């Protein structure tokens, strides 16, 4: 992974985490919801646009490599880059983020997330890792389908089977699971920690 790609992934991950932190304190105030969603979507749009431009320039460089003359290389490169046009709507990263942010806001505003088959996935179902069937300790959320897994569990299953797909019933995401496609679910981690503290307090009072 190039330095540019590495930094881009860090920024993208930060935006995802910011969304999770924001939705923790959401209310049904339409103005705030609309404004915060628009802000994060705009940031990801800019990031995705830079990524597309970078990919286009790299492709131009590869096309010019066959020319051994520096002057000719520069001329070819200028001609190719002059015609570069990119559309963020073609960015998989941006399209995935739109799905992620919509699902995140709906989830934390108390709206159920429903798959195309009509299967309703509730937050309570996602407290258990779908692979180990054990309580989730370190939650990560998929950027596309918005489902939650335990990070260690997911990493282990991917090592065993690189073609594994999301196991949630009714999930419309047919792509294989990859660690680069999940982000830490800060919001759920805080909720789980809060619940654990609450349970400890109840046990102490008993």
């Amino acid at each position: 992974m190039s330095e540019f790609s590495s930094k881009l992934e860090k920024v993208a991950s930060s935006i995802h985490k910011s969304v999770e932190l924001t939705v923790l304190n959401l209310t049904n105030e339409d103005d705030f919801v609309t404004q915060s969603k628009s802000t994060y979507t705009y940031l990801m749009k800019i990031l995705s646009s830079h990524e597309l431009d970078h990919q286009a320039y790299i492709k131009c460089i590869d096309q010019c490599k066959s020319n051994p003359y520096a002057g000719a290389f520069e001329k070819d490169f200028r001609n190719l880059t002059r015609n570069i046009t990119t559309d963020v709507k073609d960015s998989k990263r941006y399209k995935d983020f739109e799905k992620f942010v919509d699902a995140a806001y709906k989830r934390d505003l108390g709206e159920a997330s429903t798959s195309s088959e009509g299967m309703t996935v509730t937050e309570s179902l996602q407290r258990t890792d779908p692979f180990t069937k054990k309580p989730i300790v370190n939650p990560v959320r998929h950027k596309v389908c918005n489902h939650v897994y335990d990070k260690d569990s997911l990493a282990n299953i991917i090592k065993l089977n690189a073609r594994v797909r999301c196991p949630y019933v009714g999930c419309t995401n047919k792509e294989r699971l990859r660690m680069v496609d999940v982000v830490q679910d800060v919001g759920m981690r805080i909720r789980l920690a809060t619940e654990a503290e609450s349970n400890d307090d109840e046990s102490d009072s008993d």
Side-chain angles (χ1 to χ4, degrees):
M1 181 181 292
S2 67
E3 183 178 357
F4 174 86
S5 298
S6 177
K7 290 182 177 179
L8 187 141
E9 289 297 338
K10 289 180 180 179
V11 175
S13 179
S14 295
I15 296 175
H16 278 85
K17 290 177 182 177
S18 296
V19 170
E20 289 290 350
L21 287 172
T22 299
V23 297
L24 272 177
N25 299 309
L26 276 185
T27 64
N28 283 300
E29 297 176 12
D30 292 340
D31 289 343
F32 177 74
V33 172
T34 301
Q35 183 178 0
S36 58
K37 282 182 68 175
S38 297
T39 298
Y40 292 124
T41 302
Y42 174 74
L43 289 174
M44 186 58 73
K45 184 176 183 179
I46 296 298
L47 187 71
S48 300
S49 179
H50 284 310
E51 181 178 32
L52 289 177
D53 289 342
H54 175 73
Q55 292 170 348
Y57 275 91
I58 292 298
K59 186 178 293 184
C60 289
I61 291 174
D62 290 339
Q63 291 177 8
C64 296
K65 280 181 179 178
S66 59
N67 199 320
Y69 302 104
F73 176 94
E74 184 177 349
K75 181 180 179 181
D76 290 346
F77 183 74
R78 282 202 306 268
N79 289 335
L80 287 172
T81 54
R82 188 180 297 122
N83 298 320
I84 286 179
T85 56
T86 58
D87 188 345
V88 74
K89 293 180 181 178
D90 297 327
S91 168
K92 183 179 184 301
R93 182 186 299 278
Y94 181 69
K95 288 187 286 188
D96 288 348
F97 181 77
E98 283 189 309
K99 295 177 184 177
F100 166 79
V101 76
D102 283 344
Y105 275 74
K106 287 179 181 178
R107 184 183 74 245
D108 283 79
L109 285 174
E111 298 177 25
S113 173
T114 307
S115 73
S116 60
E117 286 80 8
M119 299 292 295
T120 299
V121 181
T122 63
E123 188 71 16
S124 60
L125 287 177
Q126 296 185 354
R127 296 179 189 278
T128 301
D129 178 73
F131 298 109
T132 63
K133 307 303 180 184
K134 296 179 180 179
I136 292 174
V137 177
N138 188 3
V140 290
R141 189 176 294 274
H142 200 284
K143 299 175 186 177
V144 178
C145 64
N146 209 43
H147 286 136
V148 176
Y149 323 91
D150 183 83
K151 184 178 181 180
D152 291 340
S153 171
L154 179 61
N156 289 333
I157 198 69
I158 289 176
K159 286 181 181 178
L160 294 173
N161 180 8
R163 296 180 178 275
V164 67
R165 291 181 171 82
C166 182
Y168 283 94
V169 176
C171 182
T172 58
N173 178 27
K174 303 304 179 185
E175 299 295 325
R176 63 187 179 88
L177 293 176
R178 303 182 304 166
M179 294 305 294
V180 296
D181 293 328
V182 298
V183 292
Q184 280 192 331
D185 191 333
V186 181
M188 185 172 179
R189 174 179 282 188
I190 293 174
R191 283 192 290 271
L192 291 175
T194 302
E195 288 180 3
E197 290 179 3
S198 177
N199 291 335
D200 288 342
D201 291 341
E202 290 179 3
S203 298
D204 292 340
S205 63
D206 292 341

